[in-house]
Amino acid sequence: MAVVIETTLGDLTVDLFMDERPIACLNFIKLCQLKYYNFNLFHTVQQGFIAQTGDPSGAGDGGSSVWGVVEGSQKRFFEAEYIPKIHHSSAGMLSLVSVGKNLVGSQFFFTLGENLTSLDGTHCVIGEVVEGHELLRKLNDAIVDESFRPYQDIRITHTVVLEDPFPNPRGFQIPARSPSPSVERLQNGRIAADEDIDDTNGKTMEEMQEMLAEREAIARATILEIVGDLPDADMAPPENVLFVCKLNPVTTDDDLEIIFSRFGVVKGCEVIRDRKTGDSLQYAFVEFEDQKSCEAAYFKMDNVLIDDRRIHVDFSQSVARVTWRGKGRGVIGADGKLDFNNLRDNGANNNGRKNESRTNKRGRNEGRRDVRKPEEQRSRMGSAERRRARELRHQEQEGREDRSRNHNRQRSKSREPTERHRERSDRRRSRSRDRNERRRATSPYRGNRYSPERRRQEDRHNRSSRDRQQRSAFRVQENSQSERRNIERKSKEERSENTQNDRKRLAVERESKFKKKSKRAKSSSTESSDSSDDTESSSDSSEDSSSSTSSDERSKRKKSSKSKHKKTKTKSKHKSKKKHKK
């Protein structure tokens, strides 16, 4: 049996314990059907503990059971089941809030932590969240005031009952639609759930710049922590160190120590120089014994002339005094000792000067160039546990490395077989052969036919026959290939002869045509040499000659055709005579 609870942050699906808590589940389901929880406010959210709602007024002291809604205020509370016991063992447990003596009403809460044994036996567990654990994380991260009341409203918008196995109480009526929110339910809210929050509303430009600078500083610190340059993003720089920049390259450590010693005792003064050349990089750090003397120097020495240069003084943002070895490897302090304590500053001794130093963007950016490490190590609660966890991690890593080394050694040994291994393998092979021979000798099918010698002979004979077959097949293939080659050669030669004959014929035809053309040209030249007066006669003679030539050609053709016809007749007669004789 499940109920879906829709909120302004998301949806939750709750699975109810119907068999263990029938009366309490009936009360919760009927209130959901009446839309009693719509627009109810989460009036109490304690991080890692509970998120409570169910009061229509939003004050945290109201609410009534379904029988109180239907029959009257005299049945506002009812006695719920507490047996069998169900513990608040994990996050996402749904419980009805008890007002004492096992009496519960409409208010309920979700657990936001694990093993909340203090709630066992007092409040009635009726279900568990099966979907929507992301919403529980959002509830756990909500921003609340001192009384654990969220600044921005988190409300239930709607409830959906997937299945109702219980009968309706007397006078119970399900509304046709979801009712609109009343004034009573909305009056205890602060910032609406759908209202946009503007952080810059009502702030001056300086305050906005300060807020942006703080955000940038936090972002850079988190990046340095992720990279491993900082032990902790919230680690604070020392309050007794000044950052001095815009120095003259001629200014030395002793000069600065003499100048700043009039404000108090100076523990150390160092002008940062180039490692290779030794030239001054024109900035330095001045460390005082007392914080007050450091503040006095900050107010008095800014924009002061030193060696014809106006210097700039700010509180140091560098933590380079401590050698940070990386995450899980500890920190080496000024005394040279290794420590695994968390270096986060709890901020108990920090005053307004810290915030004032962070607002100065120029000093912060210049001070961020160095690796930031704190001077003093301050432990927090739970540092011993962190040490143990880190030691366990180191031990596990060492164990893994040893295992990997041993594994690699074994693999290398197995890859390089020795003479002993070879001898053993040969012995095993010989033993296996002997065993096979014994089995064959002791088999019930032994005899001349199945003896090992007979088998060897048969194998040899089979091999020889196979070789012969393969050789004959190979020879046949060779013969067929040679025949194909000879046929191809002959075809190629015939083709070449035909092409040569064709070429010769073409040459002869070309020569004959050329001769005919030359003869015609000569005849035309002789005819043209005659005079113009005899053109007509020549033309007549040419016509007569042409007619005579044409008549001669016709007569020749007729004679040739007659002679051919006579020959065919004589042949046919000769054949017929032979047949009659036979």
Side-chain angles (χ1 to χ4, degrees):
M1 182 59 202
V3 177
V4 179
I5 301 173
E6 300 176 2
T7 67
T8 55
L9 296 179
D11 298 344
L12 284 170
T13 303
V14 181
D15 192 5
L16 299 178
F17 304 143
M18 307 289 292
D19 299 332
E20 294 85 355
R21 304 286 189 267
I23 299 173
C25 290
L26 184 148
N27 174 60
F28 184 75
I29 289 171
K30 298 303 177 184
L31 289 175
C32 289
Q33 287 182 346
L34 288 174
K35 310 302 178 185
Y36 187 80
Y37 292 123
N38 285 18
F39 304 103
N40 281 15
L41 184 70
F42 279 89
H43 53 80
T44 303
V45 178
Q46 298 185 38
Q47 189 174 10
F49 190 52
I50 63 170
Q52 186 174 340
T53 183
D55 182 9
S57 64
D61 55 358
S64 175
S65 66
V66 65
W67 295 280
V69 173
V70 174
E71 299 180 13
S73 61
Q74 66 274 9
K75 293 187 178 181
R76 178 182 174 187
F77 302 105
F78 69 97
E79 188 174 357
E81 306 94 343
Y82 284 85
I83 295 172
K85 292 183 179 179
I86 301 175
H87 301 284
H88 298 79
S89 58
S90 61
M93 303 299 292
L94 173 62
S95 295
L96 293 177
V97 179
S98 176
V99 295
K101 298 180 181 180
N102 298 340
L103 296 176
V104 297
S106 64
Q107 292 195 38
F108 63 92
F109 62 83
F110 294 103
T111 57
L112 302 178
E114 296 181 354
N115 298 324
L116 302 177
T117 57
S118 61
L119 302 174
D120 295 341
T122 305
H123 306 283
C124 178
V125 181
I126 64 169
E128 184 180 6
V129 175
V130 292
E131 292 182 4
H133 289 85
E134 295 178 357
L135 188 144
L136 296 177
R137 296 188 192 98
K138 292 178 182 179
L139 281 171
N140 194 35
D141 296 335
I143 301 171
V144 297
D145 58 5
E146 295 177 355
S147 61
F148 305 106
R149 191 178 186 86
Y151 285 104
Q152 191 169 13
D153 295 346
I154 303 171
R155 295 181 181 273
I156 297 173
T157 57
H158 194 64
T159 54
V160 180
V161 179
L162 301 180
E163 185 180 357
D164 183 12
F166 299 109
N168 294 330
R170 186 184 301 171
F172 181 83
Q173 291 182 357
I174 300 174
R177 64 179 184 86
S178 181
S180 58
S182 61
V183 179
E184 182 184 4
R185 298 196 179 195
L186 298 177
Q187 65 182 357
N188 287 323
R190 291 185 173 179
I191 302 171
D194 56 350
E195 184 178 352
D196 294 331
I197 301 172
D198 189 5
D199 296 337
T200 61
N201 190 11
K203 292 185 178 180
T204 61
M205 288 298 294
E206 294 178 357
E207 292 175 348
M208 290 169 62
Q209 289 177 0
E210 183 178 355
M211 184 176 65
L212 293 173
E214 288 180 357
R215 289 180 181 177
E216 289 178 1
I218 293 168
R220 290 175 184 172
T222 52
I223 291 169
L224 291 174
E225 183 184 5
I226 292 168
V227 172
D229 289 344
L230 277 178
D232 201 330
D234 296 334
M235 187 177 59
E239 297 290 339
N240 60 340
V241 179
L242 286 179
F243 171 73
V244 184
C245 62
K246 297 183 180 181
L247 292 172
N248 195 320
V250 182
T251 306
T252 60
D253 302 342
D254 297 332
D255 298 336
L256 287 177
E257 186 175 359
I258 292 168
I259 294 168
F260 282 91
S261 61
R262 65 191 183 94
F263 300 101
V265 179
V266 178
K267 287 178 65 177
C269 184
E270 182 182 4
V271 176
I272 308 301
R273 298 182 179 276
D274 189 35
R275 292 181 181 179
K276 293 182 179 180
T277 61
D279 297 334
S280 174
L281 297 178
Q282 301 178 14
Y283 69 94
F285 293 95
V286 181
E287 183 180 1
F288 291 90
E289 283 189 355
D290 191 6
Q291 184 177 347
K292 292 183 179 179
S293 58
C294 184
E295 291 177 359
Y298 170 75
F299 287 113
K300 294 291 182 68
M301 292 302 295
D302 191 21
N303 205 21
V304 173
L305 276 171
I306 297 177
D307 294 332
D308 296 333
R309 292 286 183 91
R310 291 195 177 274
I311 65 170
H312 175 70
V313 178
D314 194 2
F315 286 94
S316 175
Q317 298 294 317
S318 175
V319 288
R321 295 281 178 178
V322 175
T323 304
W324 172 238
R325 298 182 63 191
K327 289 197 172 185
R329 298 181 181 178
V331 177
I332 299 175
D335 53 355
K337 294 181 180 179
L338 183 65
D339 189 12
F340 289 94
N341 289 333
N342 189 6
L343 302 179
R344 185 176 303 197
D345 191 1
N346 56 7
N349 298 324
N350 295 343
N351 55 7
R353 186 57 55 200
K354 177 181 174 182
N355 295 328
E356 193 173 300
S357 63
R358 287 185 178 179
T359 57
N360 196 327
K361 195 171 182 180
R362 185 185 299 172
R364 182 177 57 258
N365 292 336
E366 293 176 354
R368 287 282 183 185
R369 293 176 184 173
D370 297 337
V371 182
R372 293 161 171 79
K373 312 273 174 35
E375 181 187 0
E376 297 178 356
Q377 301 173 3
R378 300 181 180 181
S379 62
R380 289 186 69 199
M381 295 297 291
S383 61
E385 297 177 356
R386 289 175 182 165
R387 284 185 194 172
R388 292 172 187 171
R390 287 169 184 166
E391 289 175 358
L392 289 172
R393 288 176 189 170
H394 288 301
Q395 290 176 1
E396 289 178 357
Q397 289 178 357
E398 291 176 356
R400 289 174 184 172
E401 291 177 356
D402 295 336
R403 291 173 188 170
S404 64
R405 289 173 186 171
N406 294 329
H407 184 63
N408 293 329
R409 288 175 184 173
Q410 291 176 359
R411 289 180 68 184
S412 63
K413 288 180 180 178
S414 64
R415 287 176 182 175
E416 297 177 358
T418 59
E419 294 179 357
R420 293 180 181 177
H421 290 294
R422 292 176 181 173
E423 291 176 358
R424 289 176 183 175
S425 62
D426 294 335
R427 288 174 186 173
R428 288 174 183 173
R429 291 174 184 172
S430 63
R431 287 175 185 172
S432 64
R433 289 174 184 173
D434 295 337
R435 287 174 185 172
N436 293 328
E437 289 179 356
R438 288 174 187 174
R439 287 175 184 174
R440 289 172 183 172
T442 57
S443 66
Y445 299 100
R446 67 179 179 274
N448 294 326
R449 186 178 178 184
Y450 296 98
S451 63
E453 294 179 357
R454 183 68 176 172
R455 287 180 178 175
R456 290 173 187 170
Q457 290 177 1
E458 289 179 355
D459 293 336
R460 290 174 184 173
H461 181 69
N462 293 328
R463 288 176 185 172
S464 62
S465 63
R466 287 175 187 172
D467 294 337
R468 289 171 186 173
Q469 290 176 359
Q470 289 178 358
R471 288 172 185 173
S472 62
F474 184 71
R475 288 174 183 173
V476 170
Q477 289 179 359
E478 286 183 348
N479 293 328
S480 63
Q481 289 178 0
S482 63
E483 290 177 356
R484 288 176 185 174
R485 290 173 184 171
N486 293 326
I487 291 165
E488 288 177 356
R489 287 176 185 173
K490 289 179 180 179
S491 63
K492 287 181 181 179
E493 289 175 356
E494 289 177 355
R495 289 174 186 173
S496 63
E497 289 178 358
N498 292 328
T499 53
Q500 288 178 0
N501 294 327
D502 293 335
R503 288 175 182 174
K504 288 178 180 178
R505 288 175 186 173
L506 290 170
V508 171
E509 288 178 355
R510 287 176 182 174
E511 287 178 357
S512 62
K513 287 180 181 180
F514 183 73
K515 288 178 181 179
K516 288 178 181 179
K517 288 180 180 180
S518 62
K519 287 179 181 179
R520 289 176 184 175
K522 287 178 181 179
S523 62
S524 62
S525 63
T526 53
E527 288 175 357
S528 62
S529 63
D530 295 337
S531 62
S532 59
D533 295 331
D534 297 332
T535 53
E536 293 179 356
S537 63
S538 65
S539 63
D540 294 333
S541 63
S542 63
E543 286 177 356
D544 296 332
S545 63
S546 62
S547 61
S548 63
T549 53
S550 61
S551 62
D552 295 334
E553 286 178 357
R554 288 175 185 173
S555 63
K556 286 179 181 179
R557 287 177 185 174
K558 287 179 181 180
K559 289 178 181 180
S560 63
S561 62
K562 287 179 181 179
S563 62
K564 286 180 181 179
H565 187 63
K566 287 178 182 180
K567 287 179 181 179
T568 53
K569 284 181 179 181
T570 55
K571 285 180 180 179
S572 61
K573 287 178 181 180
H574 183 68
K575 287 180 181 178
S576 62
K577 286 178 181 180
K578 284 181 179 180
K579 285 180 181 180
H580 288 296
K581 286 178 182 182
K582 288 178 181 180

